[in-house]
Amino acid sequence: MITLFTAKNLPLLAKQLATNITSLSKERDPFSPIWVVAQNQEIQHWIKTQISYANRISANIKFLYPAELSWQILRLYQSDVSAILPTDRIAIQSKLFDLLVLEKKELSKLGLLIPDEKTKILDLADSISDVFDLYQMYRPEQLMQWSKRQDVTSDIFGWQSYLWNKIYSSITTTYPDVPNRLTLFSSVKALISKDHKRLPKHIHIFGLSHWSKVFFEFTELISDNIELYWYDQILDHGETLDSRLSNWIKPKKEVQNFFQTSKNYVRQRHLQSFDETTDVKITIHSCHNAEREVQVLKNEILNFFDDNTSTTVNDVLILVPDFEKYSKIIEIEFNASGSSISIPVSISGNLNSYSSQFINDVLDFFIYGEKVTHFIELLNSKVLKQSLQNTDIEIQALTKSFSELNIHHGLNVSDSNFSIEKGVDQLMLSY
């Protein structure tokens, strides 16, 4: 059966995943891994971190990509299945290169013009192999039809079906006992029908934005025998006016439609976040100059204080597009004397060019893997040098110490065994 957990943000879903892992731990073998299917490596790492925060530990979790799930199930029954298969993209690219050279005349008749240079033929083979790889994932039934039909001269996919038939015939002849991606579903279905007890008791599927038809079939198949826990970020049901946004969320809507058609879908639980119970108001004012913008802003803030008597000026943050321009106007208008009501305002120090660059450097530090080299560069920046009073000698000593301590990346110990926190701890222990 399938239990669906929905929320408007991923942290709530990750917290629910951590809760479920704890509550289901009594129902499984403690030495058996927890299967979690996620879209990419970045979200897998983030899930692991979130589980660590919630449960104080994240261990024995087997993360899988959606395309890996079917093969992982097959290996429960046939452990000797190789990780490298003749239907993989690189293997197909090699076969394609040979075919493009040997079958040049025949392919030209079918509409494929092949260059003379070997490097360009290799690039062409790479492009076609990528398309065939996607066909195996999203259009397997089309490839099966090609494999059964030998006459391709009248086919709109003429040269594609011709090449695929040659490749598939070679693979099935050379490796008759090796499973391939087109027959995988039927093979696994037969194995599960004979013995479904080899399957894990639970599988968690987290935040997928899209999937293939093969993955759809496998989730249906295994949900006949085990519990699937699905965690999905929902979209607003209101009409989307922007056509570009509608196209962008179309795959997500198709994913959600799966739950309405699945015969095994039985339960749904919506996780409500704080922001869903709080009214969020956005008001847009069009003003003729910056001074008038600040005047309107001040009136809006005063009205907000009248309607929300428990709030204070400390609850208000003002963001402006041009700090130098607006900070002076805000200071004048908000501290008005005479009959006008003044609002206490604290304006941060002037943002010059190097502090703006510092903000970008901080963002890059977190986005690109929290590398120690970037951390040292931040310490060496003008902003931190002034605020922390770092000296060149201190920074050089820290750089040398981190190098000798084998500190490479990660801010916290939970992020990496070579993290900055670990290096600081070792320095504090009188390294």
Side-chain angles (χ1 to χ4, degrees):
M1 295 298 177
I2 300 174
T3 302
L4 172 65
F5 296 90
T6 60
K8 287 189 175 181
N9 63 70
L10 291 179
L12 270 178
L13 294 173
K15 186 176 180 180
Q16 183 63 48
L17 170 61
T19 301
N20 288 348
I21 287 176
T22 301
S23 62
L24 296 171
S25 60
K26 297 179 181 180
E27 300 180 25
R28 66 180 183 88
D29 181 353
F31 297 103
S32 299
I34 303 162
W35 287 29
V36 178
V37 180
Q39 200 84 56
N40 52 52
Q41 188 175 4
E42 289 75 20
I43 193 68
Q44 291 175 2
H45 176 75
W46 179 80
I47 291 171
K48 191 173 183 180
T49 304
Q50 295 299 309
I51 293 174
S52 298
Y53 288 153
N55 294 348
R56 300 291 183 262
I57 189 172
S58 177
N60 203 18
I61 297 178
K62 181 192 288 291
F63 284 107
L64 300 170
Y65 301 123
E68 291 180 322
L69 178 62
S70 51
W71 290 100
Q72 191 63 43
I73 293 174
L74 177 64
R75 290 187 177 95
L76 293 177
Y77 298 88
Q78 300 177 6
S79 57
D80 58 341
V81 174
S82 173
I84 302 175
L85 298 166
T87 50
D88 289 344
R89 190 182 69 81
I90 298 301
I92 289 179
Q93 179 184 349
S94 177
K95 292 181 179 296
L96 276 169
F97 179 82
D98 294 336
L99 285 171
L100 292 176
V101 174
L102 297 174
E103 303 280 344
K104 185 174 182 178
K105 290 184 179 180
E106 186 63 32
L107 289 168
S108 297
K109 296 177 183 178
L110 294 172
L112 179 62
L113 299 180
I114 302 170
D116 295 325
E117 297 179 26
K118 293 294 180 66
T119 54
K120 292 184 178 179
I121 295 177
L122 184 60
D123 290 339
L124 179 59
D126 179 54
S127 299
I128 298 174
S129 66
D130 189 46
V131 173
F132 282 170
D133 189 65
L134 292 174
Y135 281 168
Q136 290 185 85
M137 185 177 298
Y138 294 104
R139 298 182 180 178
E141 69 287 345
Q142 177 176 284
L143 295 182
M144 289 300 293
Q145 290 176 2
W146 289 353
S147 302
K148 296 175 182 178
R149 188 173 64 251
Q150 298 302 317
D151 182 16
V152 298
T153 54
S154 61
D155 195 333
I156 59 171
F157 295 99
W159 61 265
Q160 290 191 51
S161 53
Y162 179 83
L163 282 174
W164 176 255
N165 282 351
K166 289 283 185 179
I167 292 170
Y168 192 68
S169 176
S170 173
I171 291 173
T172 53
T173 302
T174 309
Y175 308 100
D177 299 324
V178 176
N180 63 72
R181 292 161 70 179
L182 298 189
T183 59
L184 179 62
F185 179 75
S186 57
S187 300
V188 173
K189 184 176 182 180
L191 292 170
I192 292 178
S193 63
K194 293 179 181 178
D195 179 16
H196 68 273
K197 293 183 179 179
R198 295 197 186 191
L199 296 172
K201 289 187 176 181
H202 318 100
I203 294 179
H204 303 270
I205 301 175
F206 191 92
L208 300 187
S209 58
H210 62 276
W211 54 37
S212 67
K213 181 179 179 181
V214 174
F215 184 79
F216 172 89
E217 292 173 341
F218 270 96
T219 52
E220 282 278 78
L221 175 63
I222 60 180
S223 62
D224 286 332
N225 302 281
I226 68 171
E227 285 281 356
L228 284 185
Y229 293 92
W230 209 297
Y231 309 83
D232 192 48
Q233 186 177 14
I234 63 171
L235 303 168
D236 288 331
H237 295 292
E239 293 185 3
T240 304
L241 300 179
D242 193 309
S243 59
R244 293 167 298 179
L245 185 58
S246 296
N247 291 332
W248 180 69
I249 66 176
K250 183 179 179 181
K252 187 65 175 176
K253 287 186 175 180
E254 291 176 352
V255 171
Q256 293 178 358
N257 288 338
F258 161 73
F259 299 109
Q260 299 177 4
T261 58
S262 173
K263 64 181 186 308
N264 296 322
Y265 166 53
V266 290
R267 295 186 297 272
Q268 178 174 355
R269 178 185 169 191
H270 179 66
L271 310 175
Q272 192 172 57
S273 59
F274 174 76
D275 59 356
E276 291 181 57
T277 60
T278 304
D279 292 334
V280 178
K281 181 181 179 182
I282 298 177
T283 305
I284 299 175
H285 298 271
S286 178
C287 305
H288 60 274
N289 59 28
E291 287 79 5
R292 183 56 185 160
E293 288 180 12
V294 175
Q295 292 170 2
V296 173
L297 171 64
K298 179 181 177 181
N299 290 333
E300 287 295 316
I301 292 175
L302 290 173
N303 291 334
F304 179 78
F305 287 151
D306 288 339
D307 297 335
N308 303 273
T309 56
S310 61
T311 59
T312 67
V313 292
N314 293 326
D315 299 318
V316 178
L317 174 66
I318 300 173
L319 303 178
V320 294
D322 186 336
F323 184 87
E324 295 291 344
K325 177 180 179 180
Y326 282 86
S327 60
K328 298 174 184 177
I329 302 173
I330 289 175
E331 192 170 14
I332 293 172
E333 294 291 340
F334 277 52
N335 294 324
S337 58
S339 59
S340 178
I341 300 175
S342 63
I343 300 177
V345 59
S346 174
I347 300 178
S348 60
N350 289 339
L351 287 175
N352 48 36
S353 59
Y354 66 76
S355 60
S356 299
Q357 181 60 44
F358 174 74
I359 293 174
N360 291 329
D361 292 341
V362 171
L363 293 175
D364 288 343
F365 170 72
F366 288 104
I367 292 172
Y368 297 110
E370 301 173 355
K371 297 180 181 177
V372 169
T373 52
H374 290 171
F375 178 74
I376 298 297
E377 289 174 2
L378 289 176
L379 293 180
N380 207 26
S381 66
K382 291 183 180 181
V383 174
L384 285 187
K385 267 195 170 183
Q386 290 179 0
S387 59
L388 300 179
Q389 298 182 347
N390 298 328
T391 66
D392 292 336
I393 295 176
E394 290 171 336
I395 294 175
Q396 290 172 6
L398 183 65
T399 303
K400 181 181 178 183
S401 301
F402 275 6
S403 176
E404 293 176 352
L405 290 168
N406 201 25
I407 302 302
H408 298 299
H409 63 89
L411 188 61
N412 302 315
V413 174
S414 60
D415 299 329
S416 165
N417 292 326
F418 313 99
S419 65
I420 294 168
E421 182 184 7
K422 179 182 178 182
V424 173
D425 288 343
Q426 290 184 321
L427 289 175
M428 296 296 289
L429 291 172
S430 302
Y431 162 73

